[in-house]
Protein backbone atom coordinates (compact mmCIF):
# COMPACT_ATOMS: atom_id res chain seq x y z
CA UNK A 1 0.00 0.00 0.00
CA UNK A 2 1.24 3.45 -0.90
CA UNK A 3 1.28 5.49 2.29
CA UNK A 4 3.01 7.99 4.53
CA UNK A 5 3.14 6.99 8.19
CA UNK A 6 3.85 9.76 10.67
CA UNK A 7 5.17 9.45 14.20
CA UNK A 8 2.86 9.76 17.17
CA UNK A 9 1.61 12.73 19.11
CA UNK A 10 4.10 14.66 21.24
CA UNK A 11 3.74 16.76 24.38
CA UNK A 12 6.72 18.98 25.08
CA UNK A 13 7.73 21.93 27.23
CA UNK A 14 8.86 25.29 25.84
CA UNK A 15 12.56 25.27 25.06
CA UNK A 16 12.73 21.53 24.42
CA UNK A 17 13.86 20.03 21.13
CA UNK A 18 11.79 17.72 18.95
CA UNK A 19 12.11 15.67 15.77
CA UNK A 20 9.04 14.13 14.15
CA UNK A 21 9.10 11.65 11.30
CA UNK A 22 7.29 10.62 8.15
CA UNK A 23 8.00 7.20 6.62
CA UNK A 24 7.04 6.48 3.03
CA UNK A 25 6.21 3.02 1.74
CA UNK A 26 4.81 1.39 -1.38
CA UNK A 27 6.55 3.76 -3.78
CA UNK A 28 10.03 4.97 -4.72
CA UNK A 29 10.75 7.34 -1.82
CA UNK A 30 13.69 8.99 -3.56
CA UNK A 31 11.67 9.94 -6.64
CA UNK A 32 9.17 12.27 -4.97
CA UNK A 33 9.42 15.42 -2.90
CA UNK A 34 8.11 15.37 0.68
CA UNK A 35 6.56 18.55 2.07
CA UNK A 36 5.51 19.63 5.56
CA UNK A 37 2.31 21.54 6.28
CA UNK A 38 1.29 23.14 9.59
CA UNK A 39 -2.27 23.49 10.83
CA UNK A 40 -2.65 25.38 14.08
CA UNK A 41 -5.75 24.61 16.17
CA UNK A 42 -8.88 25.77 14.35
CA UNK A 43 -6.81 27.43 11.62
CA UNK A 44 -5.85 26.89 7.99
CA UNK A 45 -3.03 25.09 6.25
CA UNK A 46 0.44 26.64 6.02
CA UNK A 47 3.16 25.56 3.59
CA UNK A 48 6.37 25.06 5.58
CA UNK A 49 8.95 23.49 3.32
CA UNK A 50 9.82 20.62 1.05
CA UNK A 51 12.68 18.17 0.53
CA UNK A 52 13.77 15.85 -2.26
CA UNK A 53 15.08 12.74 -0.49
CA UNK A 54 17.07 11.72 -3.54
CA UNK A 55 19.62 14.50 -3.03
CA UNK A 56 18.29 16.32 0.08
CA UNK A 57 17.54 19.49 -1.91
CA UNK A 58 15.43 21.49 0.57
CA UNK A 59 13.33 24.64 0.25
CA UNK A 60 11.65 26.59 3.02
CA UNK A 61 8.85 29.10 3.17
CA UNK A 62 10.31 32.43 4.35
CA UNK A 63 7.91 32.20 7.31
CA UNK A 64 9.57 29.00 8.53
CA UNK A 65 13.18 29.49 7.39
CA UNK A 66 15.40 29.33 10.46
CA UNK A 67 12.54 28.15 12.68
CA UNK A 68 12.58 24.46 11.71
CA UNK A 69 14.86 22.01 9.94
CA UNK A 70 13.69 19.54 7.33
CA UNK A 71 15.81 16.50 6.59
CA UNK A 72 15.54 13.01 5.15
CA UNK A 73 17.23 9.62 5.44
CA UNK A 74 16.68 7.88 2.13
CA UNK A 75 18.13 4.62 3.45
CA UNK A 76 15.04 4.19 5.64
CA UNK A 77 12.59 6.16 3.45
CA UNK A 78 11.95 8.71 6.19
CA UNK A 79 11.65 12.48 6.26
CA UNK A 80 11.95 14.59 9.39
CA UNK A 81 10.83 17.93 10.77
CA UNK A 82 12.72 19.22 13.78
CA UNK A 83 12.84 22.08 16.23
CA UNK A 84 15.79 23.04 18.43
CA UNK A 85 13.77 25.10 20.90
CA UNK A 86 10.01 24.77 20.91
CA UNK A 87 7.60 27.59 21.66
CA UNK A 88 3.97 27.44 22.73
CA UNK A 89 3.08 28.86 19.33
CA UNK A 90 4.45 25.67 17.70
CA UNK A 91 1.41 23.82 19.03
CA UNK A 92 -0.24 22.44 15.90
CA UNK A 93 -0.97 19.45 13.72
CA UNK A 94 1.88 18.80 11.30
CA UNK A 95 1.23 16.92 8.09
CA UNK A 96 3.76 15.44 5.72
CA UNK A 97 2.69 15.05 2.12
CA UNK A 98 4.15 13.69 -1.11
CA UNK A 99 4.76 15.95 -4.09
CA UNK A 100 5.16 14.22 -7.46
CA UNK A 101 6.26 17.33 -9.36
CA UNK A 102 9.67 19.00 -9.53
CA UNK A 103 8.15 22.25 -10.79
CA UNK A 104 4.84 22.44 -8.87
CA UNK A 105 5.32 22.72 -5.11
CA UNK A 106 1.58 23.27 -4.60
CA UNK A 107 0.67 19.70 -5.53
CA UNK A 108 0.53 17.12 -2.72
CA UNK A 109 -1.07 13.86 -3.85
CA UNK A 110 -0.54 11.68 -0.77
CA UNK A 111 -0.83 12.81 2.84
CA UNK A 112 0.10 11.38 6.21
CA UNK A 113 -2.47 11.39 9.02
CA UNK A 114 -0.64 14.15 10.86
CA UNK A 115 1.39 14.46 14.05
CA UNK A 116 -0.11 16.58 16.83
CA UNK A 117 2.54 18.58 18.68
CA UNK A 118 1.52 20.23 21.94
CA UNK A 119 3.92 22.62 23.63
CA UNK A 120 2.91 23.63 27.13
CA UNK A 121 4.59 24.39 30.41
CA UNK B 1 4.57 36.12 1.89
CA UNK B 2 0.84 36.56 2.45
CA UNK B 3 -1.69 33.79 2.28
CA UNK B 4 -3.95 33.68 -0.75
CA UNK B 5 -7.38 35.22 -0.13
CA UNK B 6 -10.45 32.98 0.01
CA UNK B 7 -13.96 33.71 1.26
CA UNK B 8 -14.42 32.43 4.79
CA UNK B 9 -17.58 30.56 3.93
CA UNK B 10 -19.91 29.62 1.09
CA UNK B 11 -23.10 27.62 1.08
CA UNK B 12 -25.44 25.95 -1.33
CA UNK B 13 -28.31 23.51 -1.51
CA UNK B 14 -28.02 19.93 -2.76
CA UNK B 15 -27.89 19.83 -6.54
CA UNK B 16 -26.78 23.43 -6.88
CA UNK B 17 -23.36 24.69 -8.01
CA UNK B 18 -21.00 26.84 -5.99
CA UNK B 19 -17.72 28.58 -6.78
CA UNK B 20 -14.90 29.34 -4.37
CA UNK B 21 -12.43 32.04 -5.33
CA UNK B 22 -8.75 32.24 -4.48
CA UNK B 23 -7.05 35.57 -5.05
CA UNK B 24 -3.31 35.96 -5.11
CA UNK B 25 -0.87 38.31 -6.76
CA UNK B 26 1.26 38.54 -9.87
CA UNK B 27 3.99 36.75 -7.88
CA UNK B 28 2.00 33.56 -7.39
CA UNK B 29 -1.42 32.77 -8.91
CA UNK B 30 -1.02 35.33 -11.68
CA UNK B 31 2.38 34.10 -12.83
CA UNK B 32 1.99 30.34 -12.88
CA UNK B 33 -0.64 27.80 -13.90
CA UNK B 34 0.28 25.89 -10.77
CA UNK B 35 -2.72 26.11 -8.45
CA UNK B 36 -4.03 23.15 -6.49
CA UNK B 37 -7.20 22.71 -4.46
CA UNK B 38 -7.68 20.56 -1.36
CA UNK B 39 -10.72 19.27 0.49
CA UNK B 40 -10.45 18.68 4.24
CA UNK B 41 -13.14 17.06 6.35
CA UNK B 42 -13.03 17.64 10.13
CA UNK B 43 -10.29 15.65 11.81
CA UNK B 44 -8.95 14.34 8.51
CA UNK B 45 -5.94 15.00 6.33
CA UNK B 46 -6.44 17.17 3.25
CA UNK B 47 -7.20 15.53 -0.10
CA UNK B 48 -6.00 16.78 -3.48
CA UNK B 49 -8.98 17.68 -5.70
CA UNK B 50 -7.46 19.81 -8.48
CA UNK B 51 -3.89 20.49 -9.64
CA UNK B 52 -2.35 22.68 -12.33
CA UNK B 53 -5.44 24.92 -12.18
CA UNK B 54 -7.90 22.50 -13.78
CA UNK B 55 -6.62 18.92 -13.76
CA UNK B 56 -8.36 16.26 -11.68
CA UNK B 57 -6.44 13.41 -10.05
CA UNK B 58 -7.69 9.93 -10.75
CA UNK B 59 -10.72 9.12 -8.62
CA UNK B 60 -11.90 12.70 -8.08
CA UNK B 61 -15.46 13.32 -9.25
CA UNK B 62 -15.92 15.38 -12.41
CA UNK B 63 -18.31 17.54 -10.39
CA UNK B 64 -15.15 19.35 -9.27
CA UNK B 65 -13.55 21.75 -11.75
CA UNK B 66 -10.99 24.52 -11.63
CA UNK B 67 -10.17 27.63 -13.59
CA UNK B 68 -8.07 30.79 -13.42
CA UNK B 69 -8.29 34.35 -14.62
CA UNK B 70 -5.50 36.79 -13.88
CA UNK B 71 -4.59 36.65 -10.20
CA UNK B 72 -7.72 34.70 -9.22
CA UNK B 73 -8.25 30.94 -9.34
CA UNK B 74 -11.63 29.33 -8.80
CA UNK B 75 -13.00 25.95 -7.74
CA UNK B 76 -16.49 25.05 -8.88
CA UNK B 77 -18.48 22.19 -7.43
CA UNK B 78 -21.56 21.24 -9.39
CA UNK B 79 -24.44 19.03 -8.26
CA UNK B 80 -23.68 19.68 -4.60
CA UNK B 81 -23.91 16.67 -2.32
CA UNK B 82 -23.99 16.42 1.45
CA UNK B 83 -20.54 14.82 1.51
CA UNK B 84 -19.06 17.89 -0.18
CA UNK B 85 -19.47 19.79 3.09
CA UNK B 86 -15.87 20.44 4.16
CA UNK B 87 -13.13 23.04 4.24
CA UNK B 88 -11.47 23.86 0.92
CA UNK B 89 -8.00 25.30 0.45
CA UNK B 90 -6.22 26.62 -2.60
CA UNK B 91 -2.45 26.49 -2.91
CA UNK B 92 -0.19 28.13 -5.45
CA UNK B 93 3.42 27.86 -6.50
CA UNK B 94 5.03 31.18 -5.63
CA UNK B 95 8.46 31.10 -7.22
CA UNK B 96 11.68 29.35 -6.30
CA UNK B 97 12.43 31.41 -3.18
CA UNK B 98 8.99 31.09 -1.61
CA UNK B 99 7.88 27.87 -3.25
CA UNK B 100 4.32 27.43 -1.99
CA UNK B 101 1.50 29.37 -0.35
CA UNK B 102 -1.96 28.28 0.82
CA UNK B 103 -5.17 30.23 0.94
CA UNK B 104 -6.88 30.87 4.26
CA UNK B 105 -9.54 28.23 3.58
CA UNK B 106 -13.27 28.28 2.85
CA UNK B 107 -15.91 26.41 4.81
CA UNK B 108 -18.54 24.94 2.50
CA UNK B 109 -21.94 24.30 4.04
CA UNK B 110 -24.47 22.19 2.17
CA UNK B 111 -27.88 23.44 3.34
Amino acid sequence: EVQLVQSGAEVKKPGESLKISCKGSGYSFTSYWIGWVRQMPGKGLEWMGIIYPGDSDTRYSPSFQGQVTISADKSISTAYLQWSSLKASDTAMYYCARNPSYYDSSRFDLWGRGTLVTVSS
Amino acid sequence: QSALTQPASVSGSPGQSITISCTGTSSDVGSYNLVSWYQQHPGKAPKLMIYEVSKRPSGVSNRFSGSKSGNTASLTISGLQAEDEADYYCCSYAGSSTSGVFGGGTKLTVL
Side-chain angles (χ1 to χ4, degrees), chain A residues 7-11 91-94 114-118:
Chain A
S7 50
E10 301 274 1
V11 179
T91 295
M93 180 71 81
Y94 293 89
T115 295
L116 181 61
V117 174
T118 303

Side-chain angles (χ1 to χ4, degrees), chain A:
Chain A
E1 181 185 0
V2 177
Q3 60 182 346
L4 294 173
V5 178
Q6 296 190 233
S7 50
E10 301 274 1
V11 179
K12 292 289 191 179
K13 293 183 176 359
E16 292 186 332
S17 62
L18 176 64
K19 191 173 189 177
I20 61 175
S21 66
C22 169
K23 182 174 177 62
S25 62
Y27 73 96
S28 175
F29 187 72
T30 55
S31 298
Y32 293 79
W33 294 77
I34 293 288
W36 288 94
V37 176
R38 182 174 79 174
Q39 188 166 38
M40 299 176 76
K43 302 298 184 182
L45 304 175
E46 297 175 89
W47 199 100
M48 299 178 71
I50 199 164
I51 187 167
Y52 189 72
D55 62 4
S56 292
D57 184 8
T58 307
R59 302 166 190 180
Y60 294 91
S61 162
S63 298
F64 292 93
Q65 179 84 49
Q67 307 305 307
V68 298
T69 300
I70 294 170
S71 60
D73 184 341
K74 62 184 180 183
S75 69
I76 54 171
S77 301
T78 301
Y80 302 97
L81 177 66
Q82 69 180 84
W83 296 259
S84 58
S85 181
L86 286 160
K87 302 184 285 288
S89 57
D90 292 318
T91 295
M93 180 71 81
Y94 293 89
Y95 293 100
C96 66
R98 186 182 76 171
N99 183 316
S101 172
Y102 172 79
Y103 56 86
D104 182 6
S105 55
S106 79
R107 178 182 170 189
F108 295 112
D109 67 348
L110 176 69
W111 291 69
R113 291 189 174 185
T115 295
L116 181 61
V117 174
T118 303
V119 183
S120 174
S121 55

